[in-house]
Amino acid sequence: LTAKNTEVMFQLLTPPHPNGLNGAWTIDQLLSETLRSQDLVFTELQSSLILQLPRYGKRDRVIGDVVPDPSLHVHSSGAYRCKVLYQLRAIIVIGTSHFVTYLRVPKGSRDGVLKGDRSHQEYAWLYFDSMSDRVGERNVPLILDVSVELEVLETPNASALLGAEIAKPGRQHLRRVVQDTSMAFYCRVGSQVLEAAFFE
């Protein structure tokens, strides 16, 4: 896979999960399985990786829950073989016909750009709905800090903890993320200009 642009959009295919629709994939697993089943490799690694999941309404789902990995290690097999780290920056969620966004923002930075030592970077999760309400002819947007509810996604064993976390009261945002994520936006670590562009 190669592209002349600094970003690439890639459609993830859906292999059957051993547990059917009750099984939870991670985005990393879906990406690996898609590349393996289609015999694809990255020959170039762009600054941005946009992954589209097969979400087509509520009734005819071909995929169950999906856990968005905080980071992806993507391998290149081009002239310079390497493994590159991508950080999750945003996901777009759709239940039926209305899109909302969840932003994963580095704490302690106004523009969202990662600075200094990234190994212990903490993140805030922000929920954004551009049409949360309506007054007259105008849409009223809504921004919420949902970091506490989505902090389980930052843990290495998020998939194992998912069932218990979703069952807790007040976990509607976590439920929406794992059940209705449509697109995930990852930035290559070190791509400062592109990372900042998400927050302009």
Side-chain angles (χ1 to χ4, degrees), residues 17-37:
H17 196 281
N19 296 325
L21 290 179
N22 294 323
W25 289 103
T26 67
I27 286 182
D28 183 67
Q29 290 171 334
L30 283 176
L31 177 60
S32 298
E33 285 295 315
T34 299
L35 294 173
R36 183 193 62 78
S37 64

Side-chain angles (χ1 to χ4, degrees), residues 12-100:
L12 294 178
L13 303 179
T14 312
H17 196 281
N19 296 325
L21 290 179
N22 294 323
W25 289 103
T26 67
I27 286 182
D28 183 67
Q29 290 171 334
L30 283 176
L31 177 60
S32 298
E33 285 295 315
T34 299
L35 294 173
R36 183 193 62 78
S37 64
Q38 300 299 308
D39 195 24
L40 297 173
V41 294
F42 284 95
T43 57
E44 296 179 13
L45 294 174
Q46 284 70 30
S47 298
S48 177
L49 185 60
I50 306 169
L51 302 175
Q52 183 176 10
L53 280 69
R55 299 287 199 195
Y56 307 109
K58 286 282 191 183
R59 301 182 63 180
D60 301 313
R61 286 290 175 95
V62 295
I63 189 172
D65 294 346
V66 175
V67 181
D69 300 89
S71 61
L72 296 175
H73 288 88
V74 179
H75 294 262
S76 169
S77 64
Y80 301 97
R81 294 176 181 268
C82 61
K83 182 171 69 174
V84 174
L85 177 65
Y86 284 84
Q87 289 283 353
L88 177 64
R89 304 315 304 275
I91 55 177
I92 293 179
V93 172
I94 180 170
T96 52
S97 59
H98 179 58
F99 288 97
V100 297

Side-chain angles (χ1 to χ4, degrees), residues 2-182:
T2 183
K4 294 181 180 179
N5 298 323
T6 58
E7 62 278 340
V8 60
M9 182 172 177
F10 187 58
Q11 171 72 61
L12 294 178
L13 303 179
T14 312
H17 196 281
N19 296 325
L21 290 179
N22 294 323
W25 289 103
T26 67
I27 286 182
D28 183 67
Q29 290 171 334
L30 283 176
L31 177 60
S32 298
E33 285 295 315
T34 299
L35 294 173
R36 183 193 62 78
S37 64
Q38 300 299 308
D39 195 24
L40 297 173
V41 294
F42 284 95
T43 57
E44 296 179 13
L45 294 174
Q46 284 70 30
S47 298
S48 177
L49 185 60
I50 306 169
L51 302 175
Q52 183 176 10
L53 280 69
R55 299 287 199 195
Y56 307 109
K58 286 282 191 183
R59 301 182 63 180
D60 301 313
R61 286 290 175 95
V62 295
I63 189 172
D65 294 346
V66 175
V67 181
D69 300 89
S71 61
L72 296 175
H73 288 88
V74 179
H75 294 262
S76 169
S77 64
Y80 301 97
R81 294 176 181 268
C82 61
K83 182 171 69 174
V84 174
L85 177 65
Y86 284 84
Q87 289 283 353
L88 177 64
R89 304 315 304 275
I91 55 177
I92 293 179
V93 172
I94 180 170
T96 52
S97 59
H98 179 58
F99 288 97
V100 297
T101 302
Y102 290 88
L103 296 172
R104 184 171 177 261
V105 185
K107 291 183 178 179
S109 176
R110 292 183 178 179
D111 57 8
V113 177
L114 298 174
K115 298 180 176 69
D117 182 10
R118 303 162 187 235
S119 59
H120 303 290
Q121 178 70 54
E122 294 183 351
Y123 292 84
W125 282 92
L126 301 180
Y127 167 79
F128 174 67
D129 184 350
S130 63
M131 298 185 294
S132 175
D133 201 351
R134 193 169 181 86
V135 176
E137 297 296 320
R138 296 184 178 182
N139 292 319
V140 179
L142 174 67
I143 299 177
L144 296 174
D145 186 338
V146 293
S147 301
V148 174
E149 185 176 340
L150 299 187
E151 64 182 355
V152 65
L153 299 178
E154 300 292 335
T155 61
N157 58 340
S159 296
L161 301 173
L162 206 56
E165 283 294 320
I166 288 182
K168 293 179 180 179
R171 291 294 187 266
Q172 64 270 20
H173 289 287
L174 179 61
R175 190 175 296 109
R176 292 184 75 176
V177 166
V178 300
Q179 293 180 353
D180 299 324
T181 289
S182 176

